Amino acid sequence: MKNYILTIILFVGIVYCYAQDNPCAKYDGRPMPDWIIGATPEPHNNTYYYKVFEGSNSDREVARNMAIKKAFQQAITFIDATVNSADVFAAIEKGGNLNVLSDTYHIPIYFTCEFSKKTPDGTQWIYWILCQIAIKGNVVPQFDTHFTDCNTHDIWDKQKEECLKGIKKAEQNKNAKALAISLFLPGVGQMTKGHYVEGSLTFVGELALLGAGVGTYFGAKKQTQIMNSYGIDYATYQSAQKAKPIYQGVSYACFGLAAVLYGVNLWRAYTLEPKRRNYAFYPTMIPVENVTNNNYALGLGATIKF
């Protein structure tokens, strides 16, 4: 039972991922054409259909060949003849005519649009090809070879705009939450945005100023009590009379500075940009040494992005 409780504590109290990725990162760089992201065009007649094929590899040309191979694999299934796909793929890699298998036989496929883009980490190329494929191999397809919408990205722009609006709304919510927290706990709102040093200094500074203000306020009251005490000597009365305005001045100054710091705290909590956190904590299972029955201990793992 104890282990279950520890597990719950670790999951609830520790499993909080700080390494957040930009949800709109996929829209960085070149905008993808609409035909890749769901706007596949309709055929102009009933002899062919459109389909998108995709290949990926660290080498751009290899990624292209992979997409072409997938296209031919589907197109070949409609040919009413025996075709050696290995020969087709070998011809592709040699850079032959992609639409011709031999001098007398044509593969019923037409490459309409092509597009390539690197993955966000820059390690892979992704290559897309929009193809017109014949419905049947024994019917001469009437391909539309004048398709000119290869570079439209209206849907892409709309999705990017919606994503950016979502980010803006989320940021506004974060700002409002940080402001609400800092109303009651000065500096903590900044901490929720990753500004721990500023938040800590604000929190400690506010406590110090309020503490000094309250202390000197009661110090001034104490001097008033001394002045009003029955039977005190003149020197004590004069000392209290001189000390009272000093205590009052310091008290007013501390409360004034605390009010200014509180206002700055609210402004900063709302306007600060969240810091990008490059580390994450998560629970992990650690093998226990010197045992043969696969025992594990629950531990804490960390990931750091450099």
Side-chain angles (χ1 to χ4, degrees):
M1 184 66 183
K2 184 178 179 180
N3 290 335
Y4 289 114
I5 295 174
L6 288 174
T7 302
I8 293 172
I9 292 173
L10 280 170
F11 270 88
V12 175
I14 298 177
V15 184
Y16 182 79
C17 182
Y18 290 92
Q20 298 293 331
D21 291 324
N22 179 5
C24 292
K26 62 182 178 179
Y27 297 108
D28 294 341
R30 298 173 63 196
M32 292 174 63
D34 291 344
W35 54 267
I36 295 178
I37 55 176
T40 306
E42 294 292 333
H44 291 177
N45 57 66
N46 61 359
T47 64
Y48 68 94
Y49 65 96
Y50 282 100
K51 184 158 183 174
V52 178
F53 297 93
E54 176 185 329
S56 61
N57 194 274
S58 57
D59 183 272
R60 183 173 179 269
E61 199 61 33
V62 174
R64 183 175 186 268
N65 285 339
M66 290 176 66
I68 293 173
K69 287 179 181 181
K70 291 179 181 178
F72 273 108
Q73 281 175 331
Q74 178 147 341
I76 287 171
T77 60
F78 296 104
I79 298 176
D80 296 332
T82 302
V83 178
N84 188 336
S85 59
D87 293 340
V88 176
F89 301 151
I92 293 171
E93 291 174 352
K94 289 179 181 178
N97 189 333
L98 302 180
N99 293 316
V100 178
L101 177 61
S102 67
D103 293 336
T104 59
Y105 198 89
H106 291 261
I107 295 177
I109 186 171
Y110 183 82
F111 294 88
T112 306
C113 301
E114 297 184 23
F115 182 85
S116 61
K117 186 176 183 179
K118 274 195 170 183
T119 54
D121 59 10
T123 61
Q124 294 280 315
W125 278 97
I126 304 180
Y127 209 102
W128 293 271
I129 297 179
L130 176 65
C131 298
Q132 297 173 351
I133 301 178
I135 296 295
K136 293 182 179 181
N138 59 355
V139 176
V140 178
Q142 300 173 10
F143 289 144
D144 172 26
T145 58
H146 304 288
F147 183 78
T148 58
D149 295 333
C150 290
N151 296 318
T152 57
H153 42 78
D154 298 334
I155 297 177
W156 174 268
D157 290 338
K158 184 178 180 181
Q159 289 179 352
K160 181 177 181 179
E161 183 181 356
E162 290 175 353
C163 187
L164 292 174
K165 284 181 180 179
I167 287 180
K168 186 176 181 180
K169 185 175 181 180
E171 288 177 348
Q172 291 174 344
N173 292 337
K174 287 181 181 178
N175 292 339
K177 289 177 182 177
L179 178 64
I181 293 172
S182 287
L183 278 171
F184 302 98
L185 295 171
V188 179
Q190 290 91 309
M191 294 182 194
T192 62
K193 290 186 172 183
H195 298 267
Y196 298 107
V197 175
E198 178 179 332
S200 300
L201 291 175
T202 301
F203 184 76
V204 173
E206 195 70 29
L207 287 180
L209 288 171
L210 289 175
V214 171
T216 50
Y217 169 79
F218 284 106
K221 291 192 69 174
K222 179 67 176 177
Q223 301 308 311
T224 302
Q225 291 175 357
I226 292 173
M227 292 169 60
N228 294 333
S229 298
Y230 179 75
I232 63 168
D233 58 83
Y234 180 72
T236 304
Y237 178 86
Q238 193 175 32
S239 176
Q241 189 179 36
K242 291 180 180 179
K244 179 181 176 181
I246 296 175
Y247 277 107
Q248 287 179 332
V250 173
S251 178
Y252 294 151
C254 287
F255 283 131
L257 289 173
V260 171
L261 181 60
Y262 183 74
V264 172
N265 148 71
L266 296 180
W267 171 67
R268 294 288 288 173
Y270 188 80
T271 59
L272 270 179
E273 291 289 333
K275 276 189 176 180
R276 186 174 180 83
R277 298 167 179 136
N278 294 321
Y279 55 90
F281 295 106
Y282 53 88
T284 184
M285 303 303 292
I286 304 173
V288 179
E289 295 181 357
N290 300 324
V291 295
T292 58
N293 55 352
N294 295 324
N295 285 342
Y296 290 86
L298 184 63
L300 179 65
T303 299
I304 300 175
K305 293 183 178 180
F306 294 98

